[in-house]
Amino acid sequence: GAVVSQHPSWVICKSGTSVKIECRSLDFQATTMFWYRQFPKQSLMLMATSNEGSKATYEQGVEKDKFLINHASLTLSTLTVTSAHPEDSSFYICSARDFRLAGAKETQYFGPGTRLLVL
Amino acid sequence: GNSVTQMEGPVTLSEEAFLTINCTYTATGYPSLFWYVQYPGEGLQLLLKATKADDKGSNKGFEATYRKETTSFHLEKGSVQVSDSAVYFCALSGGTNAGKSTFGDGTTLTVKP
């Protein structure tokens, strides 16, 4: 199946710094990428939907100035957590989908996740 | 809006036991249904899917049938192994909320030797 990578896999940073997480589709082009947040022993919470070349659509309650998303190409989306604080510590997972593939239009491929710890 | 309700966990079974994890959904339109598995410290992996009513998804001994009449997509496996220990998520995508996925809360399965 299709492969999605994330980098870094884990990061520790000081409070107040910004952290960038990359999500790449390695063997397919992703028209759409999704960013999720997962707290321990909980389900995935969709943060935003990112379409290549356009602004991301954020879910209700997600601060767009806090979580900056860029999807500049069909294989790369980035999530930047700006001025991170301890409450931003979480597991961030991206997924990618190519809506042009009629037969696979409902299939999204997940990255391995990035664990962020803000001290 | 769309919603997915999963059987609450955790579920603990002995090796070779039969597994059922219940999943029901609420959606308008005709969504696709999925089961994902998440191993400790990792992201989600697609386990199986079904895109229309009465379809059966299967993979690695797991199977689930899309039941529109009962709005269910229960996950089953006839004989679990220790390596099946993970968190399982039921999800739907499409319908009137095309593009976004809705996930259940996840069910933690522990299989003991």
Side-chain angles (χ1 to χ4, degrees), chain A residues 10-37:
Chain A
W10 60 271
V11 57
I12 301 174
C13 68
K14 292 182 179 179
S15 186
T17 60
S18 293
V19 175
K20 180 185 284 188
I21 301 170
E22 293 185 348
C23 177
R24 293 182 185 272
S25 56
L26 299 184
D27 51 359
F28 70 104
Q29 293 183 326
T31 55
T32 304
M33 288 184 172
F34 302 90
W35 286 96
Y36 296 87
R37 185 173 179 177

PDB file of all heavy atoms in Angstrom, chain A residues 10-37:
ATOM      1  N   TRP A  10       9.785  11.887  17.005  1.00  0.00           N
ATOM      2  CA  TRP A  10       9.516  12.436  18.332  1.00  0.00           C
ATOM      3  C   TRP A  10      10.374  13.679  18.539  1.00  0.00           C
ATOM      4  O   TRP A  10      11.435  13.812  17.946  1.00  0.00           O
ATOM      5  CB  TRP A  10       9.758  11.412  19.433  1.00  0.00           C
ATOM      6  CG  TRP A  10      11.148  10.881  19.523  1.00  0.00           C
ATOM      7  CD1 TRP A  10      11.665   9.812  18.873  1.00  0.00           C
ATOM      8  CD2 TRP A  10      12.223  11.416  20.324  1.00  0.00           C
ATOM      9  NE1 TRP A  10      12.983   9.630  19.205  1.00  0.00           N
ATOM     10  CE2 TRP A  10      13.358  10.595  20.095  1.00  0.00           C
ATOM     11  CE3 TRP A  10      12.335  12.490  21.187  1.00  0.00           C
ATOM     12  CZ2 TRP A  10      14.574  10.832  20.721  1.00  0.00           C
ATOM     13  CZ3 TRP A  10      13.547  12.728  21.813  1.00  0.00           C
ATOM     14  CH2 TRP A  10      14.646  11.896  21.570  1.00  0.00           C
ATOM     15  N   VAL A  11       9.869  14.572  19.329  1.00  0.00           N
ATOM     16  CA  VAL A  11      10.598  15.810  19.574  1.00  0.00           C
ATOM     17  C   VAL A  11      10.291  16.314  20.981  1.00  0.00           C
ATOM     18  O   VAL A  11       9.151  16.250  21.444  1.00  0.00           O
ATOM     19  CB  VAL A  11      10.245  16.870  18.504  1.00  0.00           C
ATOM     20  CG1 VAL A  11       8.750  17.147  18.470  1.00  0.00           C
ATOM     21  CG2 VAL A  11      11.012  18.149  18.716  1.00  0.00           C
ATOM     22  N   ILE A  12      11.342  16.797  21.620  1.00  0.00           N
ATOM     23  CA  ILE A  12      11.226  17.435  22.928  1.00  0.00           C
ATOM     24  C   ILE A  12      11.672  18.878  22.762  1.00  0.00           C
ATOM     25  O   ILE A  12      12.739  19.132  22.189  1.00  0.00           O
ATOM     26  CB  ILE A  12      12.098  16.722  23.973  1.00  0.00           C
ATOM     27  CG1 ILE A  12      11.688  15.250  24.095  1.00  0.00           C
ATOM     28  CG2 ILE A  12      11.967  17.414  25.328  1.00  0.00           C
ATOM     29  CD1 ILE A  12      12.607  14.435  24.997  1.00  0.00           C
ATOM     30  N   CYS A  13      10.879  19.795  23.240  1.00  0.00           N
ATOM     31  CA  CYS A  13      11.266  21.202  23.085  1.00  0.00           C
ATOM     32  C   CYS A  13      10.908  21.979  24.345  1.00  0.00           C
ATOM     33  O   CYS A  13      10.140  21.507  25.195  1.00  0.00           O
ATOM     34  CB  CYS A  13      10.578  21.825  21.864  1.00  0.00           C
ATOM     35  SG  CYS A  13       8.794  22.012  22.048  1.00  0.00           S
ATOM     36  N   LYS A  14      11.472  23.169  24.450  1.00  0.00           N
ATOM     37  CA  LYS A  14      11.188  24.035  25.579  1.00  0.00           C
ATOM     38  C   LYS A  14       9.925  24.847  25.309  1.00  0.00           C
ATOM     39  O   LYS A  14       9.600  25.163  24.150  1.00  0.00           O
ATOM     40  CB  LYS A  14      12.351  24.977  25.836  1.00  0.00           C
ATOM     41  CG  LYS A  14      13.612  24.293  26.324  1.00  0.00           C
ATOM     42  CD  LYS A  14      14.703  25.322  26.605  1.00  0.00           C
ATOM     43  CE  LYS A  14      15.967  24.655  27.120  1.00  0.00           C
ATOM     44  NZ  LYS A  14      17.038  25.654  27.380  1.00  0.00           N
ATOM     45  N   SER A  15       9.242  25.187  26.357  1.00  0.00           N
ATOM     46  CA  SER A  15       8.045  26.002  26.246  1.00  0.00           C
ATOM     47  C   SER A  15       8.372  27.326  25.558  1.00  0.00           C
ATOM     48  O   SER A  15       9.397  27.950  25.854  1.00  0.00           O
ATOM     49  CB  SER A  15       7.467  26.257  27.639  1.00  0.00           C
ATOM     50  OG  SER A  15       6.236  26.925  27.553  1.00  0.00           O
ATOM     51  N   GLY A  16       7.538  27.727  24.615  1.00  0.00           N
ATOM     52  CA  GLY A  16       7.745  28.989  23.905  1.00  0.00           C
ATOM     53  C   GLY A  16       8.392  28.846  22.550  1.00  0.00           C
ATOM     54  O   GLY A  16       8.369  29.789  21.747  1.00  0.00           O
ATOM     55  N   THR A  17       8.957  27.693  22.282  1.00  0.00           N
ATOM     56  CA  THR A  17       9.580  27.486  20.976  1.00  0.00           C
ATOM     57  C   THR A  17       8.553  26.949  19.984  1.00  0.00           C
ATOM     58  O   THR A  17       7.469  26.514  20.368  1.00  0.00           O
ATOM     59  CB  THR A  17      10.761  26.509  21.066  1.00  0.00           C
ATOM     60  OG1 THR A  17      10.275  25.248  21.554  1.00  0.00           O
ATOM     61  CG2 THR A  17      11.828  27.038  22.013  1.00  0.00           C
ATOM     62  N   SER A  18       8.925  26.993  18.706  1.00  0.00           N
ATOM     63  CA  SER A  18       8.036  26.465  17.658  1.00  0.00           C
ATOM     64  C   SER A  18       8.603  25.166  17.118  1.00  0.00           C
ATOM     65  O   SER A  18       9.816  24.984  17.036  1.00  0.00           O
ATOM     66  CB  SER A  18       7.893  27.489  16.535  1.00  0.00           C
ATOM     67  OG  SER A  18       7.205  28.634  16.994  1.00  0.00           O
ATOM     68  N   VAL A  19       7.738  24.297  16.762  1.00  0.00           N
ATOM     69  CA  VAL A  19       8.131  22.970  16.275  1.00  0.00           C
ATOM     70  C   VAL A  19       7.433  22.696  14.947  1.00  0.00           C
ATOM     71  O   VAL A  19       6.226  22.895  14.823  1.00  0.00           O
ATOM     72  CB  VAL A  19       7.729  21.879  17.287  1.00  0.00           C
ATOM     73  CG1 VAL A  19       8.032  20.491  16.723  1.00  0.00           C
ATOM     74  CG2 VAL A  19       8.450  22.095  18.614  1.00  0.00           C
ATOM     75  N   LYS A  20       8.206  22.237  13.969  1.00  0.00           N
ATOM     76  CA  LYS A  20       7.634  21.902  12.668  1.00  0.00           C
ATOM     77  C   LYS A  20       7.635  20.402  12.463  1.00  0.00           C
ATOM     78  O   LYS A  20       8.655  19.735  12.667  1.00  0.00           O
ATOM     79  CB  LYS A  20       8.419  22.564  11.540  1.00  0.00           C
ATOM     80  CG  LYS A  20       7.864  22.246  10.143  1.00  0.00           C
ATOM     81  CD  LYS A  20       8.719  22.819   9.034  1.00  0.00           C
ATOM     82  CE  LYS A  20       8.513  24.295   8.885  1.00  0.00           C
ATOM     83  NZ  LYS A  20       9.208  24.819   7.672  1.00  0.00           N
ATOM     84  N   ILE A  21       6.513  19.871  12.043  1.00  0.00           N
ATOM     85  CA  ILE A  21       6.375  18.445  11.763  1.00  0.00           C
ATOM     86  C   ILE A  21       6.058  18.284  10.271  1.00  0.00           C
ATOM     87  O   ILE A  21       5.168  18.952   9.754  1.00  0.00           O
ATOM     88  CB  ILE A  21       5.242  17.825  12.596  1.00  0.00           C
ATOM     89  CG1 ILE A  21       5.511  18.022  14.097  1.00  0.00           C
ATOM     90  CG2 ILE A  21       5.101  16.337  12.278  1.00  0.00           C
ATOM     91  CD1 ILE A  21       4.336  17.646  14.978  1.00  0.00           C
ATOM     92  N   GLU A  22       6.786  17.397   9.616  1.00  0.00           N
ATOM     93  CA  GLU A  22       6.573  17.159   8.196  1.00  0.00           C
ATOM     94  C   GLU A  22       5.815  15.864   7.958  1.00  0.00           C
ATOM     95  O   GLU A  22       6.024  14.867   8.639  1.00  0.00           O
ATOM     96  CB  GLU A  22       7.917  17.072   7.459  1.00  0.00           C
ATOM     97  CG  GLU A  22       8.689  18.357   7.426  1.00  0.00           C
ATOM     98  CD  GLU A  22       9.942  18.239   6.576  1.00  0.00           C
ATOM     99  OE1 GLU A  22      10.314  17.102   6.209  1.00  0.00           O
ATOM    100  OE2 GLU A  22      10.557  19.286   6.281  1.00  0.00           O
ATOM    101  N   CYS A  23       4.968  15.902   6.957  1.00  0.00           N
ATOM    102  CA  CYS A  23       4.224  14.716   6.534  1.00  0.00           C
ATOM    103  C   CYS A  23       4.424  14.566   5.031  1.00  0.00           C
ATOM    104  O   CYS A  23       4.133  15.490   4.268  1.00  0.00           O
ATOM    105  CB  CYS A  23       2.738  14.897   6.859  1.00  0.00           C
ATOM    106  SG  CYS A  23       1.678  13.538   6.308  1.00  0.00           S
ATOM    107  N   ARG A  24       4.948  13.434   4.632  1.00  0.00           N
ATOM    108  CA  ARG A  24       5.235  13.210   3.215  1.00  0.00           C
ATOM    109  C   ARG A  24       4.565  11.949   2.697  1.00  0.00           C
ATOM    110  O   ARG A  24       4.589  10.908   3.358  1.00  0.00           O
ATOM    111  CB  ARG A  24       6.745  13.073   2.980  1.00  0.00           C
ATOM    112  CG  ARG A  24       7.542  14.317   3.221  1.00  0.00           C
ATOM    113  CD  ARG A  24       9.020  14.088   2.915  1.00  0.00           C
ATOM    114  NE  ARG A  24       9.806  15.273   3.257  1.00  0.00           N
ATOM    115  CZ  ARG A  24      10.026  16.274   2.435  1.00  0.00           C
ATOM    116  NH1 ARG A  24       9.526  16.247   1.203  1.00  0.00           N
ATOM    117  NH2 ARG A  24      10.743  17.311   2.815  1.00  0.00           N
ATOM    118  N   SER A  25       3.985  12.042   1.519  1.00  0.00           N
ATOM    119  CA  SER A  25       3.512  10.846   0.831  1.00  0.00           C
ATOM    120  C   SER A  25       4.648  10.399  -0.077  1.00  0.00           C
ATOM    121  O   SER A  25       5.130  11.162  -0.907  1.00  0.00           O
ATOM    122  CB  SER A  25       2.245  11.154   0.026  1.00  0.00           C
ATOM    123  OG  SER A  25       2.458  12.208  -0.888  1.00  0.00           O
ATOM    124  N   LEU A  26       5.118   9.178   0.108  1.00  0.00           N
ATOM    125  CA  LEU A  26       6.361   8.744  -0.540  1.00  0.00           C
ATOM    126  C   LEU A  26       6.164   8.153  -1.924  1.00  0.00           C
ATOM    127  O   LEU A  26       7.046   8.235  -2.764  1.00  0.00           O
ATOM    128  CB  LEU A  26       7.086   7.739   0.352  1.00  0.00           C
ATOM    129  CG  LEU A  26       7.513   8.267   1.733  1.00  0.00           C
ATOM    130  CD1 LEU A  26       8.297   7.208   2.484  1.00  0.00           C
ATOM    131  CD2 LEU A  26       8.313   9.551   1.602  1.00  0.00           C
ATOM    132  N   ASP A  27       5.050   7.536  -2.174  1.00  0.00           N
ATOM    133  CA  ASP A  27       4.892   6.868  -3.461  1.00  0.00           C
ATOM    134  C   ASP A  27       3.563   7.186  -4.134  1.00  0.00           C
ATOM    135  O   ASP A  27       3.116   6.464  -5.016  1.00  0.00           O
ATOM    136  CB  ASP A  27       5.055   5.354  -3.301  1.00  0.00           C
ATOM    137  CG  ASP A  27       4.174   4.804  -2.195  1.00  0.00           C
ATOM    138  OD1 ASP A  27       3.446   5.590  -1.549  1.00  0.00           O
ATOM    139  OD2 ASP A  27       4.206   3.592  -1.973  1.00  0.00           O
ATOM    140  N   PHE A  28       2.961   8.296  -3.684  1.00  0.00           N
ATOM    141  CA  PHE A  28       1.754   8.738  -4.366  1.00  0.00           C
ATOM    142  C   PHE A  28       1.596  10.227  -4.116  1.00  0.00           C
ATOM    143  O   PHE A  28       2.263  10.795  -3.253  1.00  0.00           O
ATOM    144  CB  PHE A  28       0.511   7.969  -3.890  1.00  0.00           C
ATOM    145  CG  PHE A  28       0.079   8.289  -2.476  1.00  0.00           C
ATOM    146  CD1 PHE A  28      -1.019   9.090  -2.237  1.00  0.00           C
ATOM    147  CD2 PHE A  28       0.772   7.785  -1.386  1.00  0.00           C
ATOM    148  CE1 PHE A  28      -1.424   9.380  -0.944  1.00  0.00           C
ATOM    149  CE2 PHE A  28       0.384   8.070  -0.097  1.00  0.00           C
ATOM    150  CZ  PHE A  28      -0.715   8.867   0.138  1.00  0.00           C
ATOM    151  N   GLN A  29       0.734  10.850  -4.877  1.00  0.00           N
ATOM    152  CA  GLN A  29       0.487  12.274  -4.710  1.00  0.00           C
ATOM    153  C   GLN A  29      -0.772  12.481  -3.880  1.00  0.00           C
ATOM    154  O   GLN A  29      -1.815  11.897  -4.160  1.00  0.00           O
ATOM    155  CB  GLN A  29       0.342  12.947  -6.079  1.00  0.00           C
ATOM    156  CG  GLN A  29       1.640  12.943  -6.865  1.00  0.00           C
ATOM    157  CD  GLN A  29       1.507  13.665  -8.196  1.00  0.00           C
ATOM    158  OE1 GLN A  29       0.462  13.621  -8.829  1.00  0.00           O
ATOM    159  NE2 GLN A  29       2.559  14.346  -8.608  1.00  0.00           N
ATOM    160  N   ALA A  30      -0.645  13.291  -2.874  1.00  0.00           N
ATOM    161  CA  ALA A  30      -1.748  13.504  -1.943  1.00  0.00           C
ATOM    162  C   ALA A  30      -2.403  14.858  -2.202  1.00  0.00           C
ATOM    163  O   ALA A  30      -1.826  15.899  -1.920  1.00  0.00           O
ATOM    164  CB  ALA A  30      -1.246  13.434  -0.507  1.00  0.00           C
ATOM    165  N   THR A  31      -3.605  14.816  -2.752  1.00  0.00           N
ATOM    166  CA  THR A  31      -4.322  16.076  -2.946  1.00  0.00           C
ATOM    167  C   THR A  31      -4.771  16.651  -1.609  1.00  0.00           C
ATOM    168  O   THR A  31      -4.915  17.852  -1.458  1.00  0.00           O
ATOM    169  CB  THR A  31      -5.566  15.855  -3.825  1.00  0.00           C
ATOM    170  OG1 THR A  31      -6.372  14.826  -3.230  1.00  0.00           O
ATOM    171  CG2 THR A  31      -5.177  15.428  -5.228  1.00  0.00           C
ATOM    172  N   THR A  32      -4.974  15.755  -0.660  1.00  0.00           N
ATOM    173  CA  THR A  32      -5.487  16.171   0.645  1.00  0.00           C
ATOM    174  C   THR A  32      -4.710  15.468   1.752  1.00  0.00           C
ATOM    175  O   THR A  32      -4.436  14.279   1.658  1.00  0.00           O
ATOM    176  CB  THR A  32      -6.976  15.814   0.782  1.00  0.00           C
ATOM    177  OG1 THR A  32      -7.707  16.408  -0.288  1.00  0.00           O
ATOM    178  CG2 THR A  32      -7.539  16.335   2.105  1.00  0.00           C
ATOM    179  N   MET A  33      -4.353  16.237   2.754  1.00  0.00           N
ATOM    180  CA  MET A  33      -3.736  15.658   3.946  1.00  0.00           C
ATOM    181  C   MET A  33      -4.517  16.113   5.167  1.00  0.00           C
ATOM    182  O   MET A  33      -5.038  17.232   5.205  1.00  0.00           O
ATOM    183  CB  MET A  33      -2.272  16.073   4.054  1.00  0.00           C
ATOM    184  CG  MET A  33      -1.383  15.382   3.029  1.00  0.00           C
ATOM    185  SD  MET A  33       0.354  15.789   3.255  1.00  0.00           S
ATOM    186  CE  MET A  33       1.131  14.674   2.109  1.00  0.00           C
ATOM    187  N   PHE A  34      -4.612  15.246   6.127  1.00  0.00           N
ATOM    188  CA  PHE A  34      -5.334  15.526   7.355  1.00  0.00           C
ATOM    189  C   PHE A  34      -4.358  15.476   8.530  1.00  0.00           C
ATOM    190  O   PHE A  34      -3.460  14.641   8.570  1.00  0.00           O
ATOM    191  CB  PHE A  34      -6.431  14.478   7.595  1.00  0.00           C
ATOM    192  CG  PHE A  34      -7.434  14.383   6.487  1.00  0.00           C
ATOM    193  CD1 PHE A  34      -7.236  13.508   5.432  1.00  0.00           C
ATOM    194  CD2 PHE A  34      -8.589  15.145   6.500  1.00  0.00           C
ATOM    195  CE1 PHE A  34      -8.168  13.400   4.404  1.00  0.00           C
ATOM    196  CE2 PHE A  34      -9.516  15.054   5.477  1.00  0.00           C
ATOM    197  CZ  PHE A  34      -9.303  14.178   4.430  1.00  0.00           C
ATOM    198  N   TRP A  35      -4.570  16.367   9.473  1.00  0.00           N
ATOM    199  CA  TRP A  35      -3.761  16.358  10.685  1.00  0.00           C
ATOM    200  C   TRP A  35      -4.653  16.035  11.877  1.00  0.00           C
ATOM    201  O   TRP A  35      -5.707  16.645  12.074  1.00  0.00           O
ATOM    202  CB  TRP A  35      -3.078  17.713  10.893  1.00  0.00           C
ATOM    203  CG  TRP A  35      -1.937  17.919   9.954  1.00  0.00           C
ATOM    204  CD1 TRP A  35      -1.947  18.581   8.771  1.00  0.00           C
ATOM    205  CD2 TRP A  35      -0.595  17.438  10.136  1.00  0.00           C
ATOM    206  NE1 TRP A  35      -0.705  18.541   8.187  1.00  0.00           N
ATOM    207  CE2 TRP A  35       0.145  17.847   9.000  1.00  0.00           C
ATOM    208  CE3 TRP A  35       0.053  16.710  11.138  1.00  0.00           C
ATOM    209  CZ2 TRP A  35       1.502  17.564   8.844  1.00  0.00           C
ATOM    210  CZ3 TRP A  35       1.396  16.417  10.977  1.00  0.00           C
ATOM    211  CH2 TRP A  35       2.109  16.841   9.843  1.00  0.00           C
ATOM    212  N   TYR A  36      -4.198  15.046  12.654  1.00  0.00           N
ATOM    213  CA  TYR A  36      -4.926  14.594  13.825  1.00  0.00           C
ATOM    214  C   TYR A  36      -4.058  14.761  15.064  1.00  0.00           C
ATOM    215  O   TYR A  36      -2.829  14.756  14.995  1.00  0.00           O
ATOM    216  CB  TYR A  36      -5.285  13.110  13.710  1.00  0.00           C
ATOM    217  CG  TYR A  36      -6.223  12.753  12.582  1.00  0.00           C
ATOM    218  CD1 TYR A  36      -5.727  12.475  11.315  1.00  0.00           C
ATOM    219  CD2 TYR A  36      -7.593  12.657  12.796  1.00  0.00           C
ATOM    220  CE1 TYR A  36      -6.578  12.128  10.281  1.00  0.00           C
ATOM    221  CE2 TYR A  36      -8.452  12.305  11.769  1.00  0.00           C
ATOM    222  CZ  TYR A  36      -7.940  12.044  10.519  1.00  0.00           C
ATOM    223  OH  TYR A  36      -8.787  11.686   9.489  1.00  0.00           O
ATOM    224  N   ARG A  37      -4.757  14.818  16.176  1.00  0.00           N
ATOM    225  CA  ARG A  37      -4.081  14.837  17.463  1.00  0.00           C
ATOM    226  C   ARG A  37      -4.676  13.705  18.294  1.00  0.00           C
ATOM    227  O   ARG A  37      -5.891  13.476  18.267  1.00  0.00           O
ATOM    228  CB  ARG A  37      -4.328  16.187  18.135  1.00  0.00           C
ATOM    229  CG  ARG A  37      -3.602  16.392  19.424  1.00  0.00           C
ATOM    230  CD  ARG A  37      -3.789  17.824  19.902  1.00  0.00           C
ATOM    231  NE  ARG A  37      -3.114  18.027  21.159  1.00  0.00           N
ATOM    232  CZ  ARG A  37      -3.056  19.190  21.794  1.00  0.00           C
ATOM    233  NH1 ARG A  37      -3.664  20.255  21.286  1.00  0.00           N
ATOM    234  NH2 ARG A  37      -2.418  19.288  22.930  1.00  0.00           N
TER     235      ARG A  37
END
